[in-house]
Amino acid sequence: FQFDRNGKFVRELGKDSYGFLVASQVRVDAGDNIWAVDEMTNMVIKFDPQGRIAMLLGRKAENVNVPASRGKGGNGAGQPTDLFDRPTDVAWDAAGNIFVADGLGNARVAKFDKGGKFVKSWGKKGNATGEFANVRSIAIDAQGNVYAADGGNKRVQVFDNDGNFKTAFNNVGNAQALCITQGTNQVLYVSNSNPLDDIDVAGEIYKMRLDGTMTGKFG
């Protein structure tokens, strides 16, 4: 659903779409296109500003068993092209390349060009450098670096545009969502949500420089 800034309903997108089952994320790109990431149909759907479907990434299985799929951990290493297993997020660099967090069934980041052609992917299940327990969210800075929220390993990993590991921030707790501001001095916001093993821990939002320095928090 789309609402105006006053909360008034504007329109509905994708009604009865084959690609909708459990939408885990909605993002808007620089061209005002609307992207929906559906965790259980394993599809990423792009709507143009008029609400028409403009691109599909991924493929819905003929039979989707929701209870059996939830909580199942995959690997993702060598996963071909745009075949996802419980994707969670999507982001873009300045050139329009598309990055998908293929993130709960698999444990990888998949890169596509602006036309939707598969380029490469990186990551697999694990806790070593460049591996993920999961990829809950991703964000791209102005230089094209990719920030991946590896909540299960309580860190954010940073890669260059080709997936080469650069650094990791280990002071972010159970990182579940990321966003980066626009402008010259970009700021990273990270949500530290309640970990599954301790639901009494208070969640927080961290404000960070792109070098990982913590500058504030709330919550």
Side-chain angles (χ1 to χ4, degrees), residues 83-106:
L83 301 179
F84 306 128
D85 188 354
R86 299 183 65 194
T88 56
D89 203 357
V90 62
W92 312 269
D93 63 15
N97 294 305
I98 307 160
F99 297 81
V100 176
D102 187 21
L104 294 187
N106 290 325

Side-chain angles (χ1 to χ4, degrees), residues 39-40 42 68-77 79 83-88 101-108 124-125 132-136:
E39 181 183 326
M40 298 314 301
N42 296 319
S69 297
R70 298 192 71 85
K72 183 178 67 175
N75 190 314
Q79 181 78 346
L83 301 179
F84 306 128
D85 188 354
R86 299 183 65 194
T88 56
D102 187 21
L104 294 187
N106 290 325
R108 65 163 187 157
K124 65 177 183 177
K125 210 75 173 177
F132 305 102
N134 48 57
V135 189
R136 291 282 184 172

Side-chain angles (χ1 to χ4, degrees), residues 19-194:
F20 280 169
L21 187 59
V22 180
S24 58
Q25 184 63 271
V26 176
R27 297 281 193 182
V28 180
D29 66 19
D32 287 334
N33 300 294
I34 303 158
W35 297 69
V37 181
D38 196 286
E39 181 183 326
M40 298 314 301
T41 63
N42 296 319
M43 297 182 71
V44 178
I45 306 171
K46 175 186 177 181
F47 297 90
D48 67 17
Q50 289 71 45
R52 299 181 295 250
I53 293 178
M55 183 185 295
L56 299 173
L57 299 178
R59 185 173 67 228
K60 181 179 179 180
E62 294 182 9
N63 181 29
V64 180
N65 188 331
V66 175
S69 297
R70 298 192 71 85
K72 183 178 67 175
N75 190 314
Q79 181 78 346
T81 63
D82 62 349
L83 301 179
F84 306 128
D85 188 354
R86 299 183 65 194
T88 56
D89 203 357
V90 62
W92 312 269
D93 63 15
N97 294 305
I98 307 160
F99 297 81
V100 176
D102 187 21
L104 294 187
N106 290 325
R108 65 163 187 157
V109 174
K111 178 181 179 179
F112 302 80
D113 68 17
K114 62 182 179 181
K117 181 180 178 181
F118 176 76
V119 176
K120 67 185 304 183
S121 69
W122 64 89
K124 65 177 183 177
K125 210 75 173 177
N127 56 18
T129 295
E131 298 177 348
F132 305 102
N134 48 57
V135 189
R136 291 282 184 172
S137 183
I138 54 174
I140 316 294
D141 68 18
Q143 285 69 48
N145 298 307
V146 181
Y147 298 70
D150 184 7
N153 287 323
K154 297 184 177 180
R155 63 187 178 185
V156 171
Q157 297 195 70
V158 185
F159 305 86
D160 69 16
N161 204 260
D162 291 318
N164 299 302
F165 177 82
K166 297 187 69 174
T167 189
F169 307 151
N170 298 299
N171 56 341
V172 293
N174 183 32
Q176 297 290 296
L178 305 176
C179 67
I180 296 179
T181 61
Q182 302 297 312
T184 304
N185 297 312
Q186 292 186 289
V187 173
L188 172 68
Y189 288 91
V190 183
S191 73
N192 172 22
S193 299
N194 302 72

